[in-house]
Amino acid sequence: MLPNLLRDLSYAVRQLRRAPGFAVTAIATLALSVGIATAVFCVIDAVVLRPLPYAQPGRIVDFETHSASGGYFQPASWPSYLDERNQATSFQALAGYFRWRESAAETPTGPAVLQVVRTSDNFFDVFGVPPVLGRGFLTGEEQAGKNDVIVLGYDTWMKHFNGSRSVIGSALRLDGHTYTIVGVMPAGFRFPLNTRDGLYIPVHLDAATWMSTRGGHWLRTVGRLKDGVSVKQAQADMQHIFASIGKAYPDTDGGRTVRLQPLSQAVDQSSRGPLWTLLAAVLAVLAIGCVNIAGLLLSRGVKRRREMAMRVAIGAGRTRLLRQMLTEGLLLALAGAGGGVLLAWSVLDVTRTFLIKALQRGADIHLNWTVLAASVGLAIAASLAASFYPALKLSGVDPNTALRAGGNTGTGRGEHRLRAGFVIAQVALTLVLLVVATLLMRVVTRYRHVDLGYDPAHILAIDLHVAPVRYDGRDVIADFYQPLLDRVSHIPGVHADGLIDMLPIESYGSNRDVHIAGQPPYPKNVEMLAETRMVSTGYFDVFGLSTRAGRTLSPALDKNANKAATVVVNQAFVNQYLHGSMGNSTPKLDDAKDPDEYTQIV
């Protein structure tokens, strides 16, 4: 059989070389269809189908907590989290965590900006994934004085520590503070799932403010259910606990609500609908490609009918001809699959940065062996299926009829019906593809035409990370930021420069309760919050923002330390708290703890 197969392959190569137009068209059609399908299958596999990289992920639940008014997502405070952890009976482990900003690290490969996840000491118990080196956190290592330890993410270990096994016990400077590396997590472990270049440290905050204040809500919560406990039972348990804490501390915890859901359901919820829609479009593209391949092979079969009739006349058997035609289809399939894999790899490589930003599990998307094998199998199946009917027809041709027909082969009623069927299938599938593409374009267009309040086309941004320890007792504005802005302003083409602590749109920032001086006290358990950003005076010029009333920040007017702090508010703030107009005065924001302290709205 092997010599026959080799002869069939050799003959198939010669046939394709004699018809380069057909070969290129068929291979390109198959490569395009399979390549796009493979790329999307990789995304679906990583984001939707693949289990989360934790032990028994179905037992891990996400906490969605809201304030008393129900309108604000409101994480726990540290004291409230401790109460929840101590009173809960449904959880094997209930951990707190937060990821606020990146930090500057001094690694063996040089300075690096890393994403730091600050956690409670039982954080790794929730996920049930042991480190590949060293250990996780020990009980009590969330306490001040014991929390100068760090666990590296696998990507961070490989990229910034060269995968050295001697890293355990070594020191790492992070934001100017020294930590001891005690462990390395395995490849694929990330939490939150969109963490990149990550490392984990126990909560390391100022105990006098964040750690002791019930009114500061900043700590996210995740838990692992005990064996035999359902999400519904845990939900009832936590509702009771929240009600109890709310009665004990009505000013800070009264009326707060909680909703539990499996972590797997909380991941990339907003993206699943568009992904399934995209999959439908890709399947339509794949089906159109298969129909096109079948049409090409059918047309080529019509042209080769006299050739096959001649081979039958000189003694070729039907099985021999059938095998030869399927071998040609297999050759096309392998060439198309190779092109498809190359195309899929290129698409995923080009879009990798976008996928990582857009999807929580975007960093896990790659061309894996499972999808690769499925793609090759799909290409072979599609090509062989498309080849089978023409091969069956040609292998059973009557040499007398075919040779007498001369140039009229392929004009029979059966061939016309088959070609009409292919055309109908192509039109129907194309219509499906057009509808799905239109839906996707509407989504993309809606995002592209959102009014951001500024034109981002000519704005460049860069993250700066300055270790606070380096500027203890010094003015970081005068010693670092202002000289930096002075240099940036002299770069050719730069028309404005400024600073902001967190870019707009990219993420939510800190918020605080506000009260307009002179207004009656606001109702209890009703949040009157405003999101805050710290900016330099040049920030408004960078974004081309002008005031509707009043002025922006001014060094000349705001530099006097004895004057009240000044803020600029947006129109949404005015509508919410000033009834749509600032009037002729400059309103003041009271300090809730000290009525004599206030902030001036300018």
Side-chain angles (χ1 to χ4, degrees):
M1 293 181 62
L2 183 59
N4 287 337
L5 178 61
L6 293 177
R7 281 194 294 270
D8 289 341
L9 285 173
S10 176
Y11 183 76
V13 170
R14 292 200 303 271
Q15 288 296 318
L16 294 180
R17 289 179 60 186
R18 292 175 183 174
F22 163 78
V24 170
T25 303
I27 292 172
T29 300
L30 195 57
L32 183 63
S33 305
V34 172
I36 294 177
T38 300
V40 174
F41 289 159
C42 287
V43 175
I44 297 291
D45 175 63
V47 175
V48 179
L49 302 179
R50 193 181 307 167
L52 295 176
Y54 315 124
Q56 298 177 300
R59 292 173 52 198
I60 302 175
V61 294
D62 177 67
F63 282 58
E64 185 178 309
T65 53
H66 291 274
S67 62
S69 62
Y72 294 98
F73 172 74
Q74 189 180 72
S77 65
W78 180 256
S80 296
Y81 158 70
L82 292 180
D83 289 341
E84 295 167 20
R85 186 170 77 175
N86 293 332
Q87 297 179 34
T89 60
S90 301
F91 296 92
Q92 181 177 320
L94 185 63
Y97 71 95
F98 84 106
R99 192 188 68 194
W100 186 26
R101 293 176 179 169
E102 292 85 357
S103 295
E106 301 173 25
T107 73
T109 58
V113 176
L114 304 178
Q115 293 186 339
V116 180
V117 183
R118 293 167 169 83
T119 76
S120 57
D121 57 7
N122 61 346
F123 176 75
F124 295 109
D125 297 337
V126 171
F127 304 99
V129 179
V132 292
L133 285 180
R135 62 173 177 85
F137 300 140
L138 302 178
T139 301
E141 282 188 330
E142 63 192 12
Q143 299 173 13
K146 300 180 180 180
N147 53 2
D148 293 334
V149 293
I150 197 164
V151 174
L152 302 178
Y154 187 87
D155 294 339
T156 302
W157 177 53
M158 295 299 295
K159 181 177 179 180
H160 299 288
F161 295 85
N162 299 316
S164 172
R165 302 185 67 86
S166 63
V167 71
I168 303 300
S170 63
L172 173 64
R173 296 272 293 178
L174 188 68
D175 284 339
H177 191 87
T178 302
Y179 295 81
T180 300
I181 299 173
V182 297
V184 177
M185 296 306 293
F189 178 88
R190 299 183 186 90
F191 193 84
L193 285 165
N194 59 350
T195 301
R196 303 180 306 279
D197 281 344
L199 44 83
Y200 306 86
I201 62 174
V203 284
H204 212 273
L205 300 168
D206 184 356
T209 53
W210 289 50
M211 299 290 283
S212 60
T213 304
R214 282 190 175 273
H217 298 276
W218 51 271
L219 191 69
R220 298 290 301 269
T221 315
V222 63
R224 171 176 287 272
L225 299 175
K226 290 182 178 178
D227 290 336
V229 176
S230 67
V231 175
K232 186 176 181 179
Q233 291 171 323
Q235 173 75 42
D237 182 23
M238 292 309 302
Q239 285 176 336
H240 175 74
I241 293 171
F242 267 59
S244 175
I245 297 175
K247 289 180 181 179
Y249 306 98
D251 292 339
T252 56
D253 294 275
R256 292 181 70 234
T257 58
V258 59
R259 185 173 76 91
L260 304 185
Q261 60 178 334
L263 184 62
S264 57
Q265 295 181 12
V267 175
D268 284 319
Q269 283 184 327
S270 61
S271 62
R272 294 195 177 197
L275 283 177
W276 287 121
T277 303
L278 181 61
L279 179 62
V282 166
L283 291 176
V285 169
L286 184 61
I288 290 173
C290 292
V291 171
N292 284 338
I293 290 292
L296 287 169
L297 290 172
L298 181 65
S299 300
R300 178 167 168 77
V302 170
K303 293 182 178 180
R304 298 180 65 187
R305 193 171 184 182
R306 286 177 59 83
E307 172 200 336
M308 294 301 163
M310 185 66 71
R311 296 183 67 184
V312 170
I314 61 177
R318 185 172 189 179
T319 302
R320 183 72 178 81
L321 295 180
L322 185 62
R323 190 177 64 210
Q324 176 62 53
M325 296 292 291
L326 293 179
T327 301
E328 293 182 19
L330 178 63
L331 186 62
L332 286 175
L334 294 175
V341 170
L342 182 61
L343 176 62
W345 178 83
S346 301
V347 169
L348 293 176
D349 185 61
V350 170
T351 60
R352 180 170 177 78
T353 300
F354 165 76
L355 293 173
I356 289 175
K357 279 284 189 178
L359 302 172
Q360 291 185 47
R361 304 187 70 180
D364 296 328
I365 298 173
H366 58 274
L367 193 62
N368 60 67
W369 287 105
T370 302
V371 177
L372 183 61
S375 301
V376 173
L378 185 64
I380 292 174
S383 186
L384 291 180
S387 303
F388 186 75
Y389 180 79
L392 196 62
K393 290 281 289 183
L394 290 176
S395 63
V397 67
D398 180 5
N400 294 322
T401 304
L403 293 174
R404 284 199 302 267
N408 296 321
T409 57
T411 59
R413 182 176 297 178
E415 284 79 1
H416 281 303
R417 287 178 178 173
L418 186 60
R419 284 194 291 269
F422 279 126
V423 171
I424 293 172
Q426 284 179 304
V427 172
L429 290 170
T430 303
L431 183 61
V432 172
L433 180 61
L434 181 63
V435 171
V436 174
T438 302
L439 293 175
L440 289 173
M441 286 303 299
R442 287 185 62 184
V443 174
V444 174
T445 302
R446 184 167 68 247
Y447 286 140
R448 287 182 60 86
H449 290 85
V450 169
D451 183 10
L452 302 177
Y454 60 89
D455 181 9
H458 301 288
I459 299 176
L460 300 179
I462 186 171
D463 289 332
L464 298 173
H465 302 271
V466 180
V469 175
R470 294 181 179 274
Y471 288 87
D472 279 347
R474 300 164 58 190
D475 187 345
V476 67
I477 301 295
D479 292 350
F480 177 77
Y481 287 112
Q482 193 56 55
L484 175 66
L485 290 177
D486 292 340
R487 292 193 179 189
V488 171
S489 65
H490 289 89
I491 297 176
V494 173
H495 298 287
D497 54 62
L499 300 169
I500 185 170
D501 60 345
M502 187 174 294
L503 288 173
I505 306 300
E506 186 175 62
S507 179
Y508 59 86
S510 301
N511 55 46
R512 61 187 64 188
D513 292 302
V514 299
H515 179 263
I516 306 299
Q519 291 186 1
Y522 301 142
K524 288 186 177 181
N525 295 330
V526 175
E527 287 75 20
M528 306 296 280
L529 300 177
E531 195 169 326
T532 60
R533 295 284 196 273
M534 305 294 290
V535 303
S536 69
T537 55
Y539 166 79
F540 300 98
D541 296 328
V542 171
F543 283 81
L545 303 175
S546 58
T547 58
R548 295 188 176 185
R551 63 176 176 84
T552 60
L553 303 177
S554 167
L557 299 175
D558 301 330
K559 67 180 180 180
N560 189 344
N562 295 323
K563 293 181 60 178
T566 55
V567 297
V568 175
V569 298
N570 62 10
Q571 187 62 44
F573 182 97
V574 173
N575 295 339
Q576 176 74 15
Y577 299 112
L578 298 173
H579 310 294
S581 174
M582 289 182 59
N584 297 322
S585 61
T586 53
K588 300 176 182 178
L589 302 179
D590 284 332
D591 188 297
K593 297 181 179 179
D594 187 354
D596 294 329
E597 295 289 333
Y598 62 87
T599 301
Q600 192 82 42
I601 300 177
V602 298

